Amino acid sequence: DGSADGLAVEVFRRSAAAAGLPYRFVAQPSFAAAIQALRRGDADVVVAAVRTPERLREAQFVGPYYSTPSAII
């Protein structure tokens, strides 16, 4: 239905509510499109972006807020 959901979205919602910050989720088709939105000033935050060396050149990332062990079975 196009609504934002998931762990990162819920963490963001709760953080924004605790800080009293208004927000609006806007879906982007790719990380590149999200970066362009940041550059234009159309967005302030990208939720659930994975940190990579290339992306660090374009944006700032917060520290981990969740970790889980991974396993191949």
Side-chain angles (χ1 to χ4, degrees):
D1 69 359
S3 64
D5 63 358
L7 178 64
V9 170
E10 187 61 26
V11 168
F12 182 85
R13 281 188 171 121
R14 290 177 185 227
S15 298
L21 299 172
Y23 63 89
R24 177 175 58 98
F25 288 107
V26 178
Q28 298 292 333
S30 66
F31 187 77
I35 289 295
Q36 290 301 320
L38 288 171
R39 285 182 181 155
R40 288 190 309 269
D42 294 337
D44 297 314
V45 176
V46 176
V47 176
V50 175
R51 181 189 317 224
T52 66
E54 179 181 84
R55 291 176 178 179
L56 280 169
R57 290 191 292 274
E58 299 290 341
Q60 296 177 348
F61 288 77
V62 299
Y65 57 87
Y66 175 77
S67 68
T68 183
S70 298
I72 297 176
I73 299 175

